[in-house]
Each structure stands twice: as C-alpha cells, then as structure tokens.
Amino acid sequence: MLLPDHIAIIMDGNGRWAKQRKHNRFFGHIRGAKVAYSIIEECAKINLKYLTLYAFSTENWKRPKTEVSLLMSLLLKHLAKEQKKLMDNNISFHTIGNTQELPIEVQKLLSETYEVTKNNTGMKLTFALNYGGKQEIINATKEMYKSIEDGKIKASDINQDLFNSYLQSSFLPNPDLIIRTSNEQRLSNFFLWQAAYSEFYFCEKFWPDFDLSDLNNAIDSFNNRSRRFGNIDSKLSDPPSPRVHQ
Ligand code: IPE
Ligand code: IPE
Ligand code: MG
C-alpha cells in the first residue's frame, strides 16, 4: 500500500457527536482531543512523513467565549501531557496560523513543544491554530510586497515557487490527501493554495468516532485514485493509432 507523504485532517463534528448523545458540545471536544492524539500516534507508527491537523480556524473565534476557552485549555492540557509521547515516537511539532493571537500560556507551550521536539527526525506534526488559508495568502502577499520595496525581489520574479516560499506553511509539501469528518464537504478556509491538487476523502463519522480503520479506509481510497495533475493517465491513454493507408 502506498502511503501519501502528507495527510491533512479537518477534524469536524465534535459538537454534533455530543448532541447525538444528549451532552453539551464540551463533551465532544474532550473526546475529540483524545482521538486526535491517538491518530497522531497511529500516523507516526505507519511512518507517515507529514500530518497536519486543522484544530482552530480564524473563524472559530465567532463561537461563544466559553467554548473557545475550553478549546484552548484542552490544547494546553493535552500538549503538555503528550510531549513524552511525541519524543517516544520521534515526532517534531510545528504550528501554522496566527499563534500570536492565542492566549500567552498557549503560545509558551507551543514554542516549548517545538523546541523540545525540533531535532526529532520522524513525522512532522503540524497543528493549524488560528489558521485561515485566506489570511495566509494575504500575509504572504504583504511580505512579498515588502521584499519588493526593499529591493530584494522584483515584481517580475514572482512565480508559483516564489509565492509558495512566502507562505507560512512553506516548510510543508502540499497535502496529498485531505480528510474531513462529519460528512461536511468543504474546506472551511483550510489550505486554499495548497489543496490545488489534493485528493479529498469525506468520512461520514463525526471526529470523536474516527479511528484507525477510518484512517486505513482513507489511505485505501487514496491508493485507488489516479492523480493526473492535468496530464493524461498513461494507463488510460489511447492505443497507438492504426496506420493510415493512403
Ligand atoms: C470540530 O468540531 C472542532 C473545531 C472546529 C474546533 P465542531 O466543534 O465544529 O463540531 P460541529 O461541526 O459543530 O459538530
Ligand atoms: C472547520 O470546522 C475548522 C476546524 C475543524 C478547526 P468548522 O466547524 O469551523 O467549519 P464550518 O463552520 O462547519 O464550515
Ligand atoms: Mg464543525
């Protein structure tokens, strides 16, 4: 089985999972956080190179303050607890998104976890926190504009590779496979630039029910896709044309 290099997951459906069980949304987030860490470990065990988890979008600030606080405190609680597991599994920890707007204690823990794990050579785990694809593109554009003003680059130098190098996520290859749970079929401002040729896998289950078998199903499905990147599939191409007799 061929493994994608980079899997990105939009972990969705915590609230509905809880509602189905007549609990409040918090219950779903608590369970969802646990599931995230077990999937991280599974992905490291199968030697995935890159795993990116969409954990908090720039639009998620619209939620009630109590829910946002709970999400931040879950992040604090689990990340502190899981550092050893990251070390044991040789995982390096990274973030994308505007983390400077997160509570200061979260920022501290994120940079501490990055520092502690940065020399690990196994899976690169990236949490997308206060992340928005549009914001990432705008920030890159501003930075590029600054470089032009400073005379470091010329407008005529701008091409896809250069633009990509200004993105905060430029240390990651584009995601090969994007999984979204809860049967919603949209990006919700995730990896807008990077998803140009990603394969999508939509899973009906809510995130707190996502398990190893669902991960394997997603990878199986990925293996049955034909990625053409605009080209033609050599297997599907026409047979050699018959000789035309004149
Ligand atoms: C995903 O679950 C978690 C985050 C977005 C932080 P939701 O909280 O979006 O759950 P639903 O989609 O409302 O069920
Ligand atoms: C996407 O889920 C963001 C994360 C999973 C972090 P949302 O629940 O915020 O997305 P919408 O609002 O349903 O599009
Ligand atoms: Mg949701």
mmCIF file of all heavy atoms in Angstrom, residues 14 17 21 26-36 74 207-209:
data_model
loop_
_atom_site.group_PDB
_atom_site.id
_atom_site.type_symbol
_atom_site.label_atom_id
_atom_site.label_comp_id
_atom_site.label_asym_id
_atom_site.label_seq_id
_atom_site.Cartn_x
_atom_site.Cartn_y
_atom_site.Cartn_z
ATOM 1 N N ASN A 14 -17.348 17.479 16.437
ATOM 2 C CA ASN A 14 -17.342 17.235 17.891
ATOM 3 C C ASN A 14 -18.679 17.615 18.532
ATOM 4 O O ASN A 14 -19.217 16.884 19.373
ATOM 5 C CB ASN A 14 -16.254 18.068 18.579
ATOM 6 C CG ASN A 14 -14.860 17.622 18.218
ATOM 7 O OD1 ASN A 14 -14.687 16.573 17.611
ATOM 8 N ND2 ASN A 14 -13.869 18.406 18.592
ATOM 9 N N TRP A 17 -21.521 15.250 17.568
ATOM 10 C CA TRP A 17 -21.315 13.954 18.223
ATOM 11 C C TRP A 17 -21.863 14.009 19.651
ATOM 12 O O TRP A 17 -22.551 13.095 20.102
ATOM 13 C CB TRP A 17 -19.816 13.630 18.245
ATOM 14 C CG TRP A 17 -19.448 12.327 18.873
ATOM 15 C CD1 TRP A 17 -19.386 11.120 18.266
ATOM 16 C CD2 TRP A 17 -19.092 12.105 20.248
ATOM 17 N NE1 TRP A 17 -19.004 10.154 19.169
ATOM 18 C CE2 TRP A 17 -18.818 10.731 20.384
ATOM 19 C CE3 TRP A 17 -18.974 12.938 21.371
ATOM 20 C CZ2 TRP A 17 -18.439 10.156 21.605
ATOM 21 C CZ3 TRP A 17 -18.602 12.375 22.577
ATOM 22 C CH2 TRP A 17 -18.336 10.997 22.686
ATOM 23 N N ARG A 21 -25.571 12.422 21.680
ATOM 24 C CA ARG A 21 -25.560 11.695 22.957
ATOM 25 C C ARG A 21 -26.185 12.494 24.088
ATOM 26 O O ARG A 21 -25.977 12.190 25.260
ATOM 27 C CB ARG A 21 -24.114 11.329 23.306
ATOM 28 C CG ARG A 21 -23.632 10.194 22.457
ATOM 29 C CD ARG A 21 -22.130 10.094 22.371
ATOM 30 N NE ARG A 21 -21.794 8.991 21.463
ATOM 31 C CZ ARG A 21 -21.854 9.052 20.136
ATOM 32 N NH1 ARG A 21 -22.231 10.171 19.548
ATOM 33 N NH2 ARG A 21 -21.573 8.004 19.388
ATOM 34 N N PHE A 26 -19.029 20.619 24.842
ATOM 35 C CA PHE A 26 -17.734 20.439 25.513
ATOM 36 C C PHE A 26 -17.335 18.969 25.556
ATOM 37 O O PHE A 26 -16.169 18.612 25.382
ATOM 38 C CB PHE A 26 -17.785 20.973 26.957
ATOM 39 C CG PHE A 26 -17.835 22.475 27.050
ATOM 40 C CD1 PHE A 26 -18.203 23.248 25.952
ATOM 41 C CD2 PHE A 26 -17.504 23.119 28.232
ATOM 42 C CE1 PHE A 26 -18.246 24.635 26.030
ATOM 43 C CE2 PHE A 26 -17.541 24.500 28.318
ATOM 44 C CZ PHE A 26 -17.921 25.256 27.226
ATOM 45 N N PHE A 27 -18.326 18.143 25.816
ATOM 46 C CA PHE A 27 -18.101 16.703 25.915
ATOM 47 C C PHE A 27 -17.483 16.178 24.614
ATOM 48 O O PHE A 27 -16.555 15.362 24.617
ATOM 49 C CB PHE A 27 -19.452 16.041 26.193
ATOM 50 C CG PHE A 27 -19.396 14.574 26.481
ATOM 51 C CD1 PHE A 27 -18.753 14.097 27.616
ATOM 52 C CD2 PHE A 27 -20.012 13.657 25.620
ATOM 53 C CE1 PHE A 27 -18.717 12.729 27.886
ATOM 54 C CE2 PHE A 27 -19.980 12.299 25.885
ATOM 55 C CZ PHE A 27 -19.334 11.836 27.027
ATOM 56 N N GLY A 28 -17.979 16.695 23.499
ATOM 57 C CA GLY A 28 -17.464 16.287 22.184
ATOM 58 C C GLY A 28 -16.020 16.733 21.987
ATOM 59 O O GLY A 28 -15.194 16.004 21.449
ATOM 60 N N HIS A 29 -15.716 17.951 22.446
ATOM 61 C CA HIS A 29 -14.346 18.445 22.283
ATOM 62 C C HIS A 29 -13.372 17.635 23.144
ATOM 63 O O HIS A 29 -12.243 17.375 22.731
ATOM 64 C CB HIS A 29 -14.266 19.923 22.659
ATOM 65 C CG HIS A 29 -14.978 20.825 21.689
ATOM 66 N ND1 HIS A 29 -14.826 20.704 20.328
ATOM 67 C CD2 HIS A 29 -15.839 21.860 21.886
ATOM 68 C CE1 HIS A 29 -15.562 21.632 19.720
ATOM 69 N NE2 HIS A 29 -16.194 22.333 20.642
ATOM 70 N N ILE A 30 -13.821 17.268 24.331
ATOM 71 C CA ILE A 30 -12.948 16.496 25.232
ATOM 72 C C ILE A 30 -12.602 15.159 24.583
ATOM 73 O O ILE A 30 -11.442 14.748 24.512
ATOM 74 C CB ILE A 30 -13.630 16.316 26.619
ATOM 75 C CG1 ILE A 30 -13.692 17.677 27.314
ATOM 76 C CG2 ILE A 30 -12.906 15.286 27.483
ATOM 77 C CD1 ILE A 30 -14.593 17.733 28.528
ATOM 78 N N ARG A 31 -13.626 14.513 24.037
ATOM 79 C CA ARG A 31 -13.397 13.227 23.372
ATOM 80 C C ARG A 31 -12.573 13.419 22.077
ATOM 81 O O ARG A 31 -11.661 12.649 21.772
ATOM 82 C CB ARG A 31 -14.760 12.588 23.082
ATOM 83 C CG ARG A 31 -14.734 11.370 22.228
ATOM 84 C CD ARG A 31 -14.112 10.176 22.963
ATOM 85 N NE ARG A 31 -14.071 9.062 22.052
ATOM 86 C CZ ARG A 31 -14.898 8.016 22.090
ATOM 87 N NH1 ARG A 31 -15.802 7.925 23.038
ATOM 88 N NH2 ARG A 31 -14.806 7.063 21.199
ATOM 89 N N GLY A 32 -12.897 14.488 21.351
ATOM 90 C CA GLY A 32 -12.210 14.775 20.090
ATOM 91 C C GLY A 32 -10.713 14.978 20.301
ATOM 92 O O GLY A 32 -9.895 14.522 19.490
ATOM 93 N N ALA A 33 -10.346 15.634 21.376
ATOM 94 C CA ALA A 33 -8.922 15.879 21.652
ATOM 95 C C ALA A 33 -8.205 14.541 21.874
ATOM 96 O O ALA A 33 -7.108 14.318 21.367
ATOM 97 C CB ALA A 33 -8.776 16.785 22.863
ATOM 98 N N LYS A 34 -8.847 13.648 22.604
ATOM 99 C CA LYS A 34 -8.220 12.332 22.860
ATOM 100 C C LYS A 34 -8.004 11.586 21.544
ATOM 101 O O LYS A 34 -6.957 10.984 21.315
ATOM 102 C CB LYS A 34 -9.108 11.485 23.774
ATOM 103 C CG LYS A 34 -9.026 11.931 25.211
ATOM 104 C CD LYS A 34 -9.690 10.924 26.135
ATOM 105 C CE LYS A 34 -9.760 11.497 27.536
ATOM 106 N NZ LYS A 34 -11.060 11.303 28.171
ATOM 107 N N VAL A 35 -9.030 11.628 20.693
ATOM 108 C CA VAL A 35 -8.939 10.927 19.407
ATOM 109 C C VAL A 35 -7.786 11.503 18.580
ATOM 110 O O VAL A 35 -7.029 10.765 17.943
ATOM 111 C CB VAL A 35 -10.285 11.020 18.651
ATOM 112 C CG1 VAL A 35 -10.160 10.552 17.215
ATOM 113 C CG2 VAL A 35 -11.355 10.214 19.380
ATOM 114 N N ALA A 36 -7.632 12.830 18.631
ATOM 115 C CA ALA A 36 -6.556 13.456 17.848
ATOM 116 C C ALA A 36 -5.204 12.856 18.234
ATOM 117 O O ALA A 36 -4.405 12.497 17.363
ATOM 118 C CB ALA A 36 -6.557 14.965 18.069
ATOM 119 N N LEU A 74 -8.006 22.679 26.527
ATOM 120 C CA LEU A 74 -7.761 21.288 26.103
ATOM 121 C C LEU A 74 -6.412 21.181 25.403
ATOM 122 O O LEU A 74 -5.662 20.220 25.587
ATOM 123 C CB LEU A 74 -8.863 20.807 25.160
ATOM 124 C CG LEU A 74 -10.170 20.397 25.806
ATOM 125 C CD1 LEU A 74 -11.213 20.077 24.737
ATOM 126 C CD2 LEU A 74 -9.964 19.184 26.719
ATOM 127 N N TRP A 207 -15.863 13.385 14.191
ATOM 128 C CA TRP A 207 -14.459 13.221 14.577
ATOM 129 C C TRP A 207 -14.260 12.327 15.830
ATOM 130 O O TRP A 207 -13.381 11.461 15.833
ATOM 131 C CB TRP A 207 -13.775 14.591 14.754
ATOM 132 C CG TRP A 207 -12.379 14.441 15.245
ATOM 133 C CD1 TRP A 207 -11.900 14.784 16.472
ATOM 134 C CD2 TRP A 207 -11.262 13.856 14.538
ATOM 135 N NE1 TRP A 207 -10.566 14.463 16.566
ATOM 136 C CE2 TRP A 207 -10.151 13.887 15.394
ATOM 137 C CE3 TRP A 207 -11.108 13.299 13.251
ATOM 138 C CZ2 TRP A 207 -8.903 13.403 15.031
ATOM 139 C CZ3 TRP A 207 -9.859 12.803 12.890
ATOM 140 C CH2 TRP A 207 -8.778 12.857 13.775
ATOM 141 N N PRO A 208 -15.049 12.465 16.874
ATOM 142 C CA PRO A 208 -14.784 11.630 18.056
ATOM 143 C C PRO A 208 -14.934 10.129 17.796
ATOM 144 O O PRO A 208 -14.484 9.320 18.624
ATOM 145 C CB PRO A 208 -15.816 12.123 19.090
ATOM 146 C CG PRO A 208 -16.119 13.517 18.663
ATOM 147 C CD PRO A 208 -16.090 13.480 17.158
ATOM 148 N N ASP A 209 -15.538 9.752 16.680
ATOM 149 C CA ASP A 209 -15.664 8.315 16.359
ATOM 150 C C ASP A 209 -14.612 7.855 15.349
ATOM 151 O O ASP A 209 -14.575 6.680 14.990
ATOM 152 C CB ASP A 209 -17.059 8.018 15.776
ATOM 153 C CG ASP A 209 -18.117 7.964 16.856
ATOM 154 O OD1 ASP A 209 -17.771 7.633 18.010
ATOM 155 O OD2 ASP A 209 -19.285 8.278 16.548
#
